[in-house]
Amino acid sequence: MSEEQGTSTANGHGQTTELKGYSLPTDVLTGLQEKDRGRIPLVLCACGSFSPVTYLHLRMFEMAKDWARLHTNYTVVGGYLSPVGDAYKKKGLAPAEDRVKMCELACSTQEQKVRFLMVDNWEASQSAYQPTAQVLDHFNHEINTVLGGIDDGTGTSTKTPAKIALLGGADLLETFTQPGVWSTADLDHILTDYGAFIIERAGTDMADALQRLKPEWRERVHAIHQQIRNDVSSTKIRDFLSQDMSIRYLVPELVISYINDHGLYLKDGANGAVDGTAAKNGVVEIAD
Ligand SMILES: Nc1ncnc2c1ncn2[C@@H]1O[C@H](COP(=O)(O)OP(=O)(O)OP(=O)(O)O)[C@@H](O)[C@H]1O
Ligand SMILES: NC(=O)c1ccc[n+]([C@@H]2O[C@H](COP(=O)(O)O)[C@@H](O)[C@H]2O)c1
């Protein structure tokens, strides 16, 4: 994790810490290709706990990428997993450093020629909780201001602005209308200025969740059905691990090795808590 340096605020949402030496990973961020001429580059940003990351988290990007290609004028040029920071204090949250590392290992399993997924540790490195609107502002700043946009594929080094969008599951969409979870201003900013690609999820009625949104927000949501349903969740993975059950073929092999090597998600907390919020055993209760 990067070293901290000073503090600053962004967009009036809350405190962010400037991270010394931080730069957004861009190693597999592609430019537009000849075949994409006339299309808008799209960068998908998945915010979540990833405790631990599963194959479905990776698969969400594939589903959204296909959907964008088939049903929109966007072309996915990059995807980011942004693990939430320790301040989120959710039950089952392993330390941010471990979750970032596991996401990096998961992304390292991508086949060379088709790699477009990266892990950004900016959110995970913040000591204060970062609302998702602010995380999307961060991506927008890094890609469209710092990088100046995406290579437009004309061979002239001209850059074109990328569309930044939130990627998540239908349970996330469902929380949009749950009282006290999101501020109206943040939702308006996320859906009006960025938009969301939402993947159907078992246990959530996506049509109903969409119906509950204001019409002007609803039209900014790309609702994607899972044609091959996968109901894996990080909670189930943690449950399996706590019962010493196999998680093979649900989670990348490198992530399984990392979990074993670091003794994460053990039922009886053999590793003990790191601090009051996140523990190596991943069974910490949400703090008040
Ligand atoms: N099986 C799934 N189907 C659709 N979306 C999913 C699935 N698993 C995770 N997601 C989505 O991935 C994003 C990040 O996931 P998150 O880290 O919260 O995983 P999770 O499995 O929901 O975690 P937990 O079980 O710890 O609550 C969320 O928007 C979530 O909705
Ligand atoms: N107000 C907000 O910005 C807000 C509210 C709820 C969840 N979230 C984000 O959604 C994601 C949800 O992740 P989990 O499903 O693991 O809880 C996290 O990245 C969290 O920061 C943001």
Side-chain angles (χ1 to χ4, degrees):
M1 213 129 301
S2 310
E3 201 180 319
E4 294 182 355
Q5 184 194 52
T7 57
S8 64
T9 53
N11 311 306
H13 280 291
Q15 280 269 308
T16 58
T17 302
E18 283 173 23
L19 307 169
K20 192 178 173 187
Y22 169 82
S23 61
L24 182 77
T26 54
D27 45 318
V28 293
L29 189 68
T30 62
L32 287 176
Q33 314 289 313
E34 179 69 36
K35 64 178 168 49
D36 302 321
R37 198 53 62 76
R39 293 176 80 101
I40 300 164
L42 169 65
V43 174
L44 294 168
C45 308
C47 294
S49 300
F50 306 111
S51 187
V53 63
T54 70
Y55 272 125
L56 195 283
H57 290 133
L58 305 184
R59 178 87 198 130
M60 288 199 310
F61 287 90
E62 297 290 327
M63 289 187 261
K65 189 179 183 191
D66 279 344
W67 204 90
R69 182 172 53 82
L70 295 171
H71 302 284
T72 75
N73 196 29
Y74 300 118
T75 293
V76 173
V77 293
Y80 289 95
L81 290 101
S82 180
V84 73
D86 288 332
Y88 193 44
K89 296 177 181 171
K90 185 180 167 181
K91 184 176 176 174
L93 210 61
E97 198 168 342
D98 290 324
R99 290 180 287 112
V100 167
K101 191 73 199 149
M102 289 188 281
C103 287
E104 286 172 347
L105 289 169
C107 290
S108 76
T109 64
Q110 294 170 96
E111 211 254 300
Q112 195 74 20
K113 277 194 223 140
V114 292
R115 291 192 315 155
F116 71 102
L117 296 186
M118 292 156 282
V119 184
D120 182 36
N121 73 358
W122 180 86
E123 181 183 2
S125 303
Q126 300 290 334
S127 47
Y129 173 69
Q130 302 300 307
T132 298
Q134 194 154 319
V135 177
L136 294 175
D137 286 343
H138 154 75
F139 281 113
N140 190 29
H141 173 74
E142 290 294 329
I143 288 169
N144 286 324
T145 304
V146 178
L147 285 180
I150 298 292
D151 188 325
D152 73 354
T154 55
T156 58
S157 311
T158 312
K159 296 202 170 177
T160 187
K163 177 184 172 67
I164 309 294
L166 178 65
L167 173 65
D171 56 317
L172 185 74
L173 175 73
E174 202 169 36
T175 67
F176 285 0
T177 47
Q178 282 168 5
V181 183
W182 300 81
S183 81
T184 306
D186 276 11
L187 273 185
D188 198 45
H189 182 44
I190 292 170
L191 294 173
T192 308
D193 300 329
Y194 298 115
F197 286 73
I198 296 292
I199 311 290
E200 174 187 30
R201 189 169 192 178
T204 300
D205 183 338
M206 188 160 65
D208 179 64
L210 275 172
Q211 210 48 47
R212 289 169 190 273
L213 289 182
K214 290 183 193 177
E216 62 269 32
W217 289 352
R218 198 183 307 142
E219 66 189 31
R220 308 288 297 165
V221 176
H222 299 268
I224 303 168
H225 287 279
Q226 286 201 41
Q227 297 193 25
I228 298 177
R229 297 206 177 168
N230 183 335
D231 189 20
V232 69
S233 72
S234 299
T235 302
K236 285 181 185 169
I237 298 297
R238 295 193 300 273
D239 285 349
F240 276 29
L241 286 166
S242 71
Q243 296 173 64
D244 203 19
M245 287 166 66
S246 167
I247 57 166
R248 185 145 294 123
Y249 311 124
L250 297 171
V251 167
E253 204 66 31
L254 290 175
V255 174
I256 297 177
S257 299
Y258 187 95
I259 289 171
N260 292 337
D261 291 350
H262 293 78
L264 301 180
Y265 310 118
L266 302 173
K267 189 181 181 184
D268 57 4
N271 277 20
V274 171
D275 61 30
T277 60
K280 284 281 181 190
N281 66 4
V283 288
V284 177
E285 298 292 333
I286 299 171
D288 293 330

